[in-house]
Amino acid sequence: MSQTNQIVEPQAAMNPVYRKRLLQHRLGMIFSFLAMGLGLAVLAWILLTLVIKGVAALNFGLLVENTPGPGGEGGGLLNPIVGSLLMVGISTLISTPIGILAGVYLAEYGEQSKLAQVTRFVTDIMLSAPSIVIGLFVYAIYVANVGHFSGWAGTFAISLIAIPVVVRTTDNMLKLVPSGLREAAFALGAPRWKVAIIVRLRAVKAGVVTGVLLAVARISGETAPLLFTALNNQFFSTNMNRPIANLPVVINQFAMSPYDNWVSLAWGGALLITFSVLLLNVLSRTLFKQQIPG
């Protein structure tokens, strides 16, 4: 057998078609590694710049003091941090049950339903829609009618961004549950709704939680919809019916200001958001490693 292989390999190496494909393979691998290296280099450059400038702004006052006025010294990001936590937290409470229940409906009852097809189509559109369009939509139907910006408007806007992520993740994860698991539950006499909630959803709970965490990471840094809904507030406030400070808008405003103190705070806020999103992504990837029972 070894002699046969030794005869075949030189013959294959002399084949022009084989040599052409081998050259294409090697060129493809070279370009792939170059593209990967370029992407990693740019990412490392961005993260290194963020860490260097963001760490310089980190101090205890960043977390316990409110944003300073124009030209003011010191200050921190307490009010935008609290505002972002309020809006993201309430948005998570709104989007999680709606997204999970909609995903369960699509996976369990939507095989041949026209409503399910329309829902999937709308979900795909909302996933790819620019966030600024969603912000303008909430501005037109809510802010323009009540006559003022508010934290509730910002919450509704980012909820519309988070819901499609949870819906799509839940739908896809439930489709991975083996059919034998469902059939066994039906054979025991369990009703369909109980099979969907207790059997299928429990089997992929890690994946569903992953979808929720990814949705939270997605909305944590959204700026465009909040510019048209929550806007900003220089003072500390937890009144969701009024303009409320939030990290993305404060970073956008401070980064473009002529004041060095504001620019430094913007770098510190950007570092906080980046590492928060990174932590959520690492946590979601860790949960995603749990295997679905077969």
Side-chain angles (χ1 to χ4, degrees), residues 67 79-80 230-237 242-246 250:
T67 51
N79 47 330
L231 199 59
N232 196 6
N233 191 342
Q234 182 182 346
F235 305 101
F236 183 88
S237 174
R242 285 297 172 188
I244 190 170
N246 54 89
V250 168

Side-chain angles (χ1 to χ4, degrees), residues 9-196:
E9 289 178 2
Q11 291 178 351
M14 296 299 294
N15 190 329
V17 176
Y18 172 81
R19 287 185 296 177
K20 180 180 179 181
R21 290 179 178 176
L22 182 61
L23 178 62
Q24 291 175 345
H25 168 72
R26 290 175 177 172
L27 288 176
M29 293 297 294
I30 291 173
F31 285 122
S32 297
F33 279 109
L34 287 175
M36 181 184 67
L38 178 61
L40 290 177
V42 173
L43 178 61
W45 182 24
I46 294 173
L47 290 178
L48 184 62
T49 303
L50 178 62
V51 169
I52 292 175
K53 296 191 175 183
V55 169
L58 293 181
N59 54 67
F60 186 69
L62 186 74
L63 303 177
V64 299
E65 297 181 15
N66 293 329
T67 51
E73 295 296 328
L77 299 173
L78 175 62
N79 47 330
I81 291 174
V82 172
S84 290
L85 289 176
L86 282 173
M87 287 191 290
V88 172
I90 297 175
S91 174
T92 304
L93 294 177
I94 294 174
S95 60
T96 298
I98 295 176
I100 291 177
L101 291 176
V104 170
Y105 168 77
L106 292 178
E108 186 67 32
Y109 298 95
E111 290 90 351
Q112 299 177 348
S113 171
K114 294 292 185 182
L115 177 61
Q117 295 177 6
V118 173
T119 303
R120 285 195 178 95
F121 178 72
V122 173
T123 300
D124 291 339
I125 292 177
M126 293 182 66
L127 279 172
S128 58
S131 59
I132 192 171
V133 175
I134 296 177
L136 286 171
F137 171 75
V138 176
Y139 176 86
I141 67 171
Y142 183 84
V143 177
N145 289 324
V146 300
H148 59 82
F149 299 98
S150 68
W152 289 118
T155 300
F156 296 151
I158 60 178
S159 295
L160 292 177
I161 298 174
I163 288 175
V165 178
V166 181
V167 172
R168 176 56 68 188
T169 305
T170 304
D171 184 20
N172 291 336
M173 292 304 301
L174 289 174
K175 290 179 180 178
L176 298 178
V177 178
S179 58
L181 193 63
R182 297 178 59 209
E183 294 169 358
F186 284 130
L188 293 174
R192 192 167 187 177
W193 68 268
K194 188 171 290 188
V195 173

